[in-house]
Amino acid sequence: MAQPQTQEQQGQNGHSAQGEVLIDVKDLRMYFPVTSGVVFQRKIADIKAVDNVNFFIRSGETLGLVGESGSGKTTVGRCILQLYKPTSGEVIFEGKDLVKMSSKNLRPVRRNMQVIFQDPYGSLNPRLTCGDIIGEPLVVHKLTGNKKEYRDRIAELLTLVGLNPYMADRYPHEFSGGQRQRIGIARALAVNPSFIVCDEPVSALDVSIQAQVINLLEELQERLNLTYLFIAHDLSVVRHISDRVAVMYLGHIVEIADRNELYENPLHPYTKALLSAVPIPDPVVESQREHMIIPGEVPSPMNPPKGCVFNTRCPIAIDDCHVEMPDLREVSPDHWVACLRADGYGPWNPAGLPE
């Protein structure tokens, strides 16, 4: 595994690490070209889905990645897994830069990196049985020596995620949504990974089933010493499962901190507005607290605003905010924010919101 970062490396990535770093993402960019023409295609612009993202994940912890739809969360996860080849930047996993590795050399590394997809209906092949879906990674990576080992391993994985081994011969349409997601989790665990990207794994499930799947993920993490990148837009779920939380807006990470620090003392205006939208199950408190409404619409990632990407919607923006995107800076221990005014403007002022 990678060694703990130096102080210089920690500053560049927006955190002060205390343990071993499993995933280290540096200056990650993912631009998708926009072309015109049918035969002679000509690039006319770039969609900047991810732009200069830096963070790390320590071994055994969960980093929550939150933000509204289109902010680049899923693209970050796919870039880490090399499902998308990043435009530039580094993805250091166990001391190796995955961006520079060829597809052939990536195959043994992929055993240690898996993904749980958002859609439990579309992520399973309807023509394969549950056992074949879970066993496919075993075949690809040649992890079992004979049919008995293969069947025993599938039964073990089904039991691990709370399903009965006799279900191995059933097809995906015979399962409920929660059971299908458990099959997806079993498939990810088949190759004994150390790192899993959880791409909104509970957003398509009922609330009661969400709690069961979240508890299962936590139990598996403790038992198997897993490391998670947990992508979600439900901030209450993220706080429950994450050790640290990073907030994304328009391809940039604007704030990252310990989960309790972030929820109790948000500093970026966008983070404050996101948290104000989380309902509180107390009608008295809910009626008295302040709701922070963000004016305007999210700019296009094909033509992001100059300077801070949030300046077109920020009620406290100053002239300097229109010059360049601020870097993540540490305003309190292990609390990093990309805002020029994060530690000097005081509480949110609704009167400052444009009409």
Side-chain angles (χ1 to χ4, degrees):
M1 290 187 180
Q3 295 300 313
Q5 294 180 313
T6 64
Q7 184 176 0
E8 179 182 0
Q9 290 172 321
Q10 294 160 5
Q12 290 173 351
N13 287 275
H15 289 285
S16 299
Q18 300 296 328
E20 287 190 337
V21 174
L22 183 67
I23 294 281
D24 194 0
V25 176
K26 302 179 181 179
D27 301 325
L28 184 67
R29 290 177 172 84
M30 185 67 225
Y31 297 171
F32 295 99
V34 178
T35 59
S36 66
V38 179
V39 180
F40 300 102
Q41 293 192 346
R42 177 174 58 90
K43 189 176 83 168
I44 59 176
D46 284 317
I47 295 177
K48 299 180 179 180
V50 176
D51 198 6
N52 194 29
V53 163
N54 293 272
F55 64 86
F56 66 79
I57 310 176
R58 301 183 185 103
S59 179
E61 79 166 347
T62 299
L63 175 68
L65 188 60
V66 302
E68 57 194 307
S69 297
S71 61
K73 308 183 300 295
T74 294
T75 304
V76 168
R78 289 175 176 263
C79 286
I80 291 175
L81 297 169
Q82 301 302 296
L83 299 177
Y84 293 153
K85 203 66 176 178
T87 303
S88 64
E90 300 177 26
V91 178
I92 311 297
F93 176 67
E94 295 182 336
K96 302 174 184 177
D97 186 359
L98 305 185
V99 177
K100 296 179 180 178
M101 296 177 68
S102 65
S103 298
K104 180 180 179 181
N105 292 332
L106 271 174
R107 169 162 286 204
V109 179
R110 290 188 189 280
R111 278 190 54 184
N112 292 327
M113 306 176 70
Q114 292 295 306
V115 59
I116 300 170
F117 293 100
Q118 175 180 1
D119 183 7
Y121 300 93
S123 61
L124 303 181
N125 190 333
R127 293 185 175 91
L128 297 181
T129 65
C130 164
D132 290 337
I133 290 170
I134 297 173
E136 188 172 14
L138 302 176
V139 175
V140 170
H141 293 282
K142 301 177 181 178
L143 298 180
T144 54
N146 53 57
K147 288 186 178 180
K148 184 179 185 305
E149 287 184 14
Y150 176 82
R151 289 193 296 266
D152 289 346
R153 178 58 175 159
I154 291 173
E156 178 186 355
L157 289 165
L158 285 170
T159 303
L160 189 63
V161 298
L163 297 175
N164 289 316
Y166 70 80
M167 294 179 174
D169 294 327
R170 294 184 181 180
Y171 288 87
H173 72 270
E174 300 179 74
F175 293 93
S176 67
Q179 289 174 325
R180 293 187 197 192
Q181 197 61 289
R182 289 173 185 266
I183 294 171
I185 294 172
R187 177 177 58 186
L189 295 175
V191 291
N192 294 317
S194 58
F195 172 68
I196 297 179
V197 174
C198 304
D199 185 9
E200 303 201 35
V202 298
S203 63
L205 306 177
D206 294 336
V207 175
S208 59
I209 306 301
Q210 286 184 10
Q212 295 176 18
V213 173
I214 290 296
N215 290 336
L216 173 64
L217 290 172
E218 290 184 317
E219 292 170 6
L220 293 172
Q221 182 176 37
E222 184 176 353
R223 183 186 304 184
L224 304 176
N225 192 31
L226 297 171
T227 302
Y228 293 146
L229 173 64
F230 193 90
I231 300 169
H233 58 262
D234 188 330
L235 296 174
S236 57
V237 170
V238 170
R239 182 175 190 178
H240 177 75
I241 195 173
S242 301
D243 298 297
R244 292 182 297 128
V245 179
V247 181
M248 282 196 75
Y249 179 80
L250 205 62
H252 293 261
I253 288 182
V254 296
E255 188 165 3
I256 185 166
D258 174 82
R259 61 176 180 179
N260 292 326
E261 169 68 13
L262 187 87
Y263 280 74
E264 295 169 6
N265 184 33
L267 296 178
H268 197 281
Y270 178 65
T271 308
K272 290 189 174 187
L274 278 184
L275 293 176
S276 76
V278 179
I280 296 176
D282 186 330
V284 177
V285 176
E286 180 69 21
S287 64
Q288 295 176 350
R289 75 184 184 124
E290 179 185 0
H291 290 273
M292 306 166 190
I293 301 174
I294 306 177
E297 299 292 334
V298 181
S300 169
M302 191 165 63
N303 186 27
K306 185 178 180 181
C308 175
V309 291
F310 191 60
N311 67 48
T312 58
R313 308 176 71 193
C314 182
I316 60 166
I318 56 178
D319 291 342
D320 289 345
C321 298
H322 299 269
V323 177
E324 61 178 328
M325 180 67 193
D327 295 326
L328 284 169
R329 59 192 177 98
E330 190 175 23
V331 294
S332 63
D334 289 332
H335 192 157
W336 297 75
V337 60
C339 179
L340 296 177
R341 307 188 65 194
D343 52 351
Y345 66 82
W348 183 281
N349 180 13
L353 288 174
E355 298 181 356

